[in-house]
């Protein structure tokens, strides 16, 4: 049965691209003034190149057609001409200058980062993005939500395959937003084509970029700098909202924070922790430690059967909260809420045959020393 | 007296040694040239298999064949092997075979070093390929190996990768020294620099580039090695270093490296087009100056690879303008080739077909390069498939096509047999179609927003990826025709004359086909017809 | 043949010397880059500890200084600025602090690396006293306010109205236990 289903799905994939046929040929105009001027710059250079190509290749194919031996062509004897050589040095220089002027104007425009109304700090992590709204106490991670079975071809791929996240960056329309981009580990690059913003996130250093989107909408992008195994799986989603909707969203964020605090206060049953833990595991741990906790030999340690998951509780919590120096294991204390931390640790200690026993939200809170 | 004369003539006339020792101990420029060319052909297929693995995985969205870790190792190794294993050794092989014959010398200036510089390579590449089987896998940080992904976050095998790069660097530097010494000291009496064929000229400039930048590459990998094992902090921000410094030093090497891979190709094409147009090369002098100015400019454009890294405005503008400037001498070269064809008397044998495809497709790669030079637009193109399309257009139908053209052009001279022209043409047309079907759609993918170096992609990129994969397999498998043609040509085939081509010009065609073991034991007489300006 | 060898030898020596020089030049690029960064302020690598110039103070002008705290990789400390931003006038000396807390059960050493955006403002931000000048050890559970005293130079270009000063905190605790673990268990190595 399963085999049949797989076969059917594979057949579907062959067809799928045709069904959603895009055949997009060109750059998009985008949603900002800058992206539109980049687009027109792109088109101008493209047309100039096409014009030069028509002339150059035209002469070439003219010669290939008319000056071939089989048509009885006799070779001429000229082999230099000072004036023509000077001419075809000067003309390209003139064309280049005419290209450089609009290019410089757009570039200078892009570098004007003043008068932003909102500052967002963007931090690249292997392999997710963190958005911190300065002065607003909003701080969250944005993870890929495409289910693993879609990636492994066991389910039909959704419309926004690999371009969907749990919590998108939300910005107001019509306001200048400044991005402060940095990284937690390796170099990433934050890129949203519709905004024409691409800036590297370099560990230890901060880069600036800005955007001003006029219309509400959802804009998607991806990490553009090779950053390790899951470089292809760290999308960016920017949701641009109208001023009112944005205010509403800000209020929701406050409520969300409150709910998180409350969920850390109440009592959680082991079953609740296990089921929540499975969700959190899929979101935050699966990429490295794999679906069955088996890890990747020589790269990421296995969790199934690990002594850490079965015996030493405090050390287990310590590694999850504070990470492990010198390895890819990140500190999750700031990434997850106390209840989520308790849930995922409980899950890891109870899944795949591990017999470590549950931990309570209280234990985590003590370790967090809140 | 008589016995002395006898001894001299024996040393001069001796043929190659027998068996494997001929190849191991050889100091003969033709034998070493052959070794280089065969080695690069082998590496071309190894790197090509990796490319096909990548394309097969990218045939459809979703992960089908390989896991992302291995995908990253494949992209890294494909790049390293094609750049350092296929393209560069192929050009050194051509230099070994042709430079002594073109300047009227008996052999290369430093034959023993020549032997050494080749035999380092098999060891370097065995070491590099062996990393794929090590714990944690091979290099997975891209051929540009940006820190800290290649230092703090690298697999343990990175040390072997560093030593392999060191060995390749030493080999290239020795090869370059040899080329310079041969060209400057071994020219036939009366041959001035401005009499040299353009292939020799472009290689002379390339050799100086190699000596200038390969040590910088050695330096940058040494710094990596020290960061990894000796706790220095060249590229580690925690100790006061800077990961962006890595990119500056790397591209200070990397950009001239790009020209190292294309200048000899310019030389090859400048030899072939006049032959088959039966007309002197147009603008010889401006060709030499254009090549030199490209080489000089290549040292001041490196940061155009780093427009998104966060440079000050003045830096972006400077590198944008200098990069645009490179279009001028490159344009001059293209115009000269076309002016050479204009009012010629052209025929279209396989080498000419490859050379013509070179002119057209390299120019397309040049246009996309010009677009990439525009910094604000580059923010959209950078690290997308548009860049992949660009550099494959200049490297595959650029460098690789020129190497193919050179191989077909000089094969009759090397082997003494004509290759099979029909098979050669078939090889050309399949390659030409394959290359364009593979790489042209990548422009569209990049503009639509597909980043480089990803093993899986969003659904809107499906169609063109599928097309590109078909093209890649067509291109890959049509190279087998070349191998078959090559084997046939070596073993048998119509006897080639000394001149081989009706319009051939230059000293190499005054020797019989195949040429004697030592090219010119007597300095040749120069006349109007066998210098570079002929 | 000996006539041939003489020019070859000098040429080879020159070329090898050239290659060796270029190898050295590769390393020379490191200090050159530092000098370049000092001049341009690129990457905020400016260590301005110079004297305070109150002479050119301009109390009418307002500059917003933002503070950002970033943790690198698995650095577990809680790290945040005391104030997320201050408004100062050029020439005014200001003190603020970054608060760090070590939640782990062992003593650790941190090193903060500064970065300034926009980079052209870096050379106008004088740090009179900064915790980034030294390594910062913290005992298990210890919390400390690490002081920062700075002045914005009056020569700051007019168009710059906001200066962002970020500190990335790196864990530079000498590896003892974990390193041994890494060598014993290669699977602990990250990708």
């Amino acid at each position: 049965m399963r085999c049949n289903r797989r076969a059917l799905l594979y057949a579907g994939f062959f067809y799928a691209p045709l069904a959603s046929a895009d055949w997009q040929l060109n750059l998009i105009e985008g949603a900002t003034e800058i992206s539109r001027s980049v687009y027109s710059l792109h088109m101008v250079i493209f047309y100039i190149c096409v014009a030069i190509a028509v002339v150059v290749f035209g002469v070439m194919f003219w010669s290939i057609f008319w000056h071939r031996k089989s048509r009885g062509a006799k070779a001429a004897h000229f082999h230099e001409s000072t004036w023509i050589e000077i001419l075809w040095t000067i003309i390209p220089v003139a064309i280049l200058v005419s290209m450089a002027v609009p290019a410089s104007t757009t570039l200078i425009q892009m570098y004007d980062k003043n008068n932003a109304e909102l500052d967002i700090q963007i931090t690249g992590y292997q392999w997710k993005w963190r958005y911190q709204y300065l002065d607003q106490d909003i701080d969250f991670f944005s993870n890929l939500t495409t289910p693993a079975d879609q990636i492994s071809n066991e389910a039909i791929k959704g419309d926004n395959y690999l371009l969907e996240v749990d919590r998108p960056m939300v910005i107001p329309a019509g306001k200048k937003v400044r991005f402060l981009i940095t990284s937690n580990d390796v170099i990433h690059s934050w890129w949203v084509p519709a905004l024409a913003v691409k800036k590297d996130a370099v560990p230890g250093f901060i880069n600036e970029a800005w955007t001003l989107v006029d219309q509400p909408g959802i804009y998607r992008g991806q990490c553009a700098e090779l950053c390790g195994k899951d470089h292809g799986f760290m999308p960016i989603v920017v949701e641009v909202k109208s001023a009112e909707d944005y205010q509403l969203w800000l209020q929701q964020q406050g409520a969300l924070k409150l709910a998180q605090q409350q969920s850390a206060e109440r009592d959680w049953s082991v079953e609740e922790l296990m089921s929540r833990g499975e969700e959190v595991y899929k979101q935050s741990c699966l990429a490295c430690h794999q679906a069955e906790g088996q890890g990747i030999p020589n790269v990421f340690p296995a969790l199934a059967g690990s002594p850490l998951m079965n015996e030493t509780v405090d050390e287990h919590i310590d590694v999850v909260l504070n990470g492990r120096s010198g390895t890819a294991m990140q500190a999750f204390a700031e990434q997850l809420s106390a209840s989520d931390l308790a849930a995922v640790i409980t899950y890891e200690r109870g899944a795949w045959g591990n017999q470590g026993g549950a931990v309570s939200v209280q234990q985590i809170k003590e370790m967090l020393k809140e | 007296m008589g016995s002395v004369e006898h001894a001299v003539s024996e040393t001069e006339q001796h043929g190659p040694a027998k068996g494997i020792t001929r190849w191991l101990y050889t100091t003969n420029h033709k034998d070493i040239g052959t070794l280089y060319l065969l080695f690069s052909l082998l590496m071309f297929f190894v790197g090509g298999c990796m490319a096909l693995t990548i394309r097969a995985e990218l045939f459809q969205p979703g992960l089908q064949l390989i896991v992302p870790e291995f995908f990253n190792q494949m992209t890294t190794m494909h790049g390293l092997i094609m750049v350092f294993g296929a393209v560069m050794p192929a050009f050194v092989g051509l230099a070994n075979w042709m430079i002594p014959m073109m300047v009227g010398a008996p052999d290369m200036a430093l034959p023993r070093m020549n032997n050494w510089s080749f035999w380092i390579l098999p060891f370097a590449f065995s070491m590099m390929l062996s990393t794929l089987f090590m714990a944690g896998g091979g290099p997975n940080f891209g051929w540009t190996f940006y820190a800290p992904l290649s230092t703090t976050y690298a697999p343990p095998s990175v040390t072997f990768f560093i030593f392999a790069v060191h060995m390749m660097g030493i080999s290239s530097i020795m090869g370059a020294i040899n080329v310079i010494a041969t060209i400057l000291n071994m020219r036939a009496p009366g041959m001035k620099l401005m009499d040299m064929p353009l292939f020799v000229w472009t290689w002379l400039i390339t050799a100086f580039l190699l000596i200038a930048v390969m040590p910088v590459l050695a330096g940058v990998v040494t710094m990596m090695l020290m960061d990894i094992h000796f706790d220095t902090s060249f590229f580690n921000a925690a100790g006061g270093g800077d990961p962006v410094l890595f990119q500056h030093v790397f591209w200070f090497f990397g950009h001239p490296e790009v020209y190292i891979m294309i200048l000899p190709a310019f030389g090859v094409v400048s030899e072939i087009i006049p032959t088959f147009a039966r007309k002197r090369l147009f603008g010889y002098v401006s060709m030499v100056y254009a090549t030199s100015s490209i080489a000089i400019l290549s040292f001041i454009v490196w940061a155009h690879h780093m427009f998104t890294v966060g440079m000050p405005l003045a830096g972006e503008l400077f590198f944008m303008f200098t990069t645009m400037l490179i279009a001028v001498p490159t344009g001059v070269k293209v115009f000269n080739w076309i002016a050479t064809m204009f009012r010629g008397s052209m025929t279209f044998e396989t080498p000419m077909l490859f050379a013509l495809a070179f002119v057209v497709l390299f120019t397309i790669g040049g246009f996309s390069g010009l677009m990439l030079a525009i910094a604000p637009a580059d923010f959209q193109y950078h690290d997308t498939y548009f860049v992949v399309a660009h550099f494959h257009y200049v490297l595959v139908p650029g460098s690789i096509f020129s190497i193919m053209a050179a191989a077909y052009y000089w094969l009759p001279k090397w082997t003494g047999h004509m290759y099979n022209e029909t098979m050669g043409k078939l090889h050309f047309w399949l390659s030409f179609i394959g290359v364009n079907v593979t790489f042209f759609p990548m422009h569209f993918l990049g503009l639509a927003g597909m980043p480089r170096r990803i093993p899986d992609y969003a659904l809107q990129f499906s169609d063109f990826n599928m097309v590109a994969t078909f093209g890649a397999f067509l291109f890959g498998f049509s190279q087998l025709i070349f191998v078959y043609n090559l084997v046939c040509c070596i073993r048998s085939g119509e006897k080639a004359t000394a001149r081989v081509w009706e319009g051939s010009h230059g000293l190499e065609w005054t020797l019989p086909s195949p040429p004697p073991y030592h090219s010119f034991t007597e300095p040749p007489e120069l006349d109007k017809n066998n210098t570079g300006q002929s | 043949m000996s006539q041939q060898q003489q020019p070859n030898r000098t040429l080879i020596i020159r070329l090898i010397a050239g290659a060796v020089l270029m190898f050295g030049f590769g390393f020379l690029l490191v200090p050159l880059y530092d000098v370049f960064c000092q001049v341009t302020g690129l990457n905020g690598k400016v260590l301005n500890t110079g004297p305070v110039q109150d002479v050119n103070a301009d109390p009418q002008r307002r500059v917003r200084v933002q503070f950002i705290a970033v943790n690198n990789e698995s650095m577990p400390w809680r790290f945040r600025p005391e104030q997320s931003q201050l408004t100062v006038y050029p020439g005014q000396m200001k003190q603020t602090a970054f608060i760090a807390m070590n939640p782990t059960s062992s003593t650790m050493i941190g090193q903060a690396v500064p970065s300034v955006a926009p980079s052209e403002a870096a050379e106008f931000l004088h740090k009179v006293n900064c915790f980034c000048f030294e390594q910062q050890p913290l005992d298990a559970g210890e919390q400390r306010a690490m002081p920062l005293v700075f002045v914005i130079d009056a020569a700051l270009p007019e168009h710059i109205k906001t200066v962002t000063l970020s500190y990335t905190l790196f864990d530079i605790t000498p590896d003892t236990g974990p390193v041994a673990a890494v060598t014993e268990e290669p699977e602990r190595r990250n990708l």
Side-chain angles (χ1 to χ4, degrees), chain B residues 134 141 150-163 166 220-236, chain C residues 175 179 182-183 189:
Chain B
M134 290 179 187
F141 28 67
S150 63
T151 53
T152 321
Y153 295 81
S157 63
V158 66
T159 310
F160 293 93
F161 154 80
I162 289 171
F163 283 129
H166 271 142
V220 75
V221 293
T222 308
M223 289 183 227
M224 275 172 66
L225 187 77
M226 289 159 81
D227 269 9
I228 294 169
H229 293 291
F230 306 116
D231 285 332
T232 56
S233 296
F234 286 104
F235 309 130
N236 185 357
Chain C
D175 290 317
V179 160
V182 165
T183 40
R189 282 288 295 187

Side-chain angles (χ1 to χ4, degrees), chain B residues 359-375:
Chain B
V359 174
V360 174
L361 301 182
F362 172 80
T363 306
I364 291 176
F367 285 137
S368 57
L370 185 58
M371 293 171 80
L372 284 160
I374 309 293

Side-chain angles (χ1 to χ4, degrees), chain A residues 116-189:
Chain A
E117 295 181 58
L118 174 66
D119 292 319
I120 301 177
Q121 183 190 338
I122 300 172
T123 314
Y125 282 68
Q126 278 182 329
W127 294 280
K128 61 197 126 199
W129 296 96
R130 181 186 191 176
Y131 302 122
Q132 285 160 287
Y133 291 60
L134 300 183
D135 303 325
Q136 288 183 355
D137 197 28
I138 296 175
D139 176 0
F140 58 89
F141 283 81
S142 182
N143 294 290
L144 175 77
T145 48
T146 301
D149 55 359
Q150 287 190 14
I151 295 171
S152 60
N153 306 313
E154 282 154 0
I156 299 286
K157 292 173 174 47
D159 282 346
N160 292 316
Y161 177 68
L162 295 187
L163 297 177
E164 48 203 347
V165 297
D166 52 355
R167 296 183 74 181
M169 169 193 273
V170 176
I171 57 171
K175 293 221 163 93
K176 189 163 178 177
V177 183
R178 180 161 156 265
F179 303 124
L180 294 159
I181 303 169
T182 185
S183 165
N184 171 267
D185 33 52
V186 298
I187 299 176
H188 303 269
S189 191

Side-chain angles (χ1 to χ4, degrees), chain B residues 41-382:
Chain B
L41 186 65
L42 176 71
M43 284 297 130
F44 179 57
F45 278 97
V46 173
C49 288
M50 292 173 177
L52 293 186
T53 312
I54 294 167
R55 282 310 331 164
E57 174 55 51
L58 291 174
F59 183 60
Q60 285 184 7
L63 296 175
Q64 287 89 15
L65 304 169
I66 54 176
V67 291
E69 302 84 291
F70 191 67
F71 183 90
N72 287 347
Q73 291 171 35
M74 283 293 104
T75 50
T76 307
M77 284 301 221
H78 164 71
L80 289 169
I81 288 195
M82 286 302 195
V83 168
F84 294 105
V87 174
M88 287 171 69
F91 281 128
V92 181
L94 291 174
N96 256 297
W97 254 103
M98 301 319 301
I99 287 176
M101 280 159 55
M102 285 176 149
V103 300
D107 205 307
M108 294 292 277
L110 315 159
R112 245 172 250 291
M113 192 158 96
N114 206 4
N115 172 292
W116 199 25
S117 52
F118 171 75
W119 279 108
I120 287 176
L121 284 182
F123 294 95
F125 282 91
S126 308
M127 184 143 93
M128 183 126 101
L129 286 169
S130 70
T131 57
L132 286 175
F133 305 100
M134 290 179 187
N140 54 12
F141 28 67
W143 88 275
T144 50
F145 47 100
Y146 281 5
L149 192 62
S150 63
T151 53
T152 321
Y153 295 81
S157 63
V158 66
T159 310
F160 293 93
F161 154 80
I162 289 171
F163 283 129
V165 171
H166 271 142
M167 285 161 75
M168 289 167 212
I170 290 170
S171 160
S172 294
I173 291 168
M174 290 197 303
I177 290 175
N178 213 339
V179 166
I180 295 175
T182 310
I183 296 174
L184 294 188
N185 291 343
M186 308 267 290
R187 290 194 312 277
M191 182 184 265
K192 295 190 289 294
L193 284 177
M194 277 309 199
D195 291 333
M196 297 195 306
L198 258 174
F199 179 72
V200 179
W201 251 118
T202 53
W203 240 112
L204 180 66
I205 293 164
T206 305
F208 277 110
L209 280 182
L210 277 168
I211 288 182
V213 300
M214 288 311 279
V216 176
L217 175 70
V220 75
V221 293
T222 308
M223 289 183 227
M224 275 172 66
L225 187 77
M226 289 159 81
D227 269 9
I228 294 169
H229 293 291
F230 306 116
D231 285 332
T232 56
S233 296
F234 286 104
F235 309 130
N236 185 357
D242 184 345
V244 177
L245 169 67
F246 174 89
Q247 298 183 25
H248 281 289
V249 185
F250 178 83
W251 286 114
F252 185 83
F253 147 79
H255 203 77
E257 166 69 20
V258 173
Y259 293 107
I260 287 168
M261 290 190 285
I262 202 67
L263 293 186
F266 291 164
V268 167
V269 171
S270 305
E271 296 300 323
I272 292 173
I273 288 179
T275 299
F276 296 98
R278 289 166 185 77
K279 185 160 157 278
R280 254 176 88 173
L281 181 69
F282 188 88
Y284 173 91
V285 180
S286 66
M287 281 296 214
V288 172
Y289 286 125
T291 313
S292 316
S293 37
I294 292 174
I296 291 162
L297 280 174
S298 77
F299 285 101
I300 53 164
V301 297
W302 77 88
H304 66 215
H305 297 267
M306 305 162 53
F307 278 144
T308 64
V309 89
M311 278 188 291
L313 180 61
E316 303 255 333
L317 289 172
F318 173 79
F319 287 109
M320 175 166 90
F321 297 149
T322 50
T323 306
M324 290 170 82
L325 215 52
I326 287 193
V328 177
T330 315
V332 166
K333 300 197 79 111
V334 173
F335 301 145
N336 279 342
W337 290 322
I338 288 168
T340 308
M341 290 179 229
F342 190 73
R343 293 188 55 207
S345 168
M346 280 195 272
T347 51
F348 303 93
E349 288 85 347
T350 312
M352 183 61 162
L353 288 175
F354 273 106
L356 292 177
F358 171 94
V359 174
V360 174
L361 301 182
F362 172 80
T363 306
I364 291 176
F367 285 137
S368 57
L370 185 58
M371 293 171 80
L372 284 160
I374 309 293
D378 180 73
F379 293 148
Q380 292 286 47
Y381 311 141
H382 178 80

Side-chain angles (χ1 to χ4, degrees), chain A residues 62-74, chain B residues 345-346:
Chain A
W62 172 277
S63 313
I64 288 176
F65 188 77
W66 293 102
H67 308 147
R68 52 168 67 211
K69 200 185 175 198
S70 55
R71 292 185 69 99
K74 291 270 180 292
Chain B
S345 168
M346 280 195 272

Side-chain angles (χ1 to χ4, degrees), chain A residues 114 119 178 184 299 325 327, chain C residues 66 72-73 159 164 171 189:
Chain A
N114 277 311
D119 292 319
R178 180 161 156 265
N184 171 267
V299 183
S325 229
T327 73
Chain C
Q66 279 180 321
N72 185 258
E73 217 207 341
H159 66 91
T164 307
D171 174 13
R189 282 288 295 187

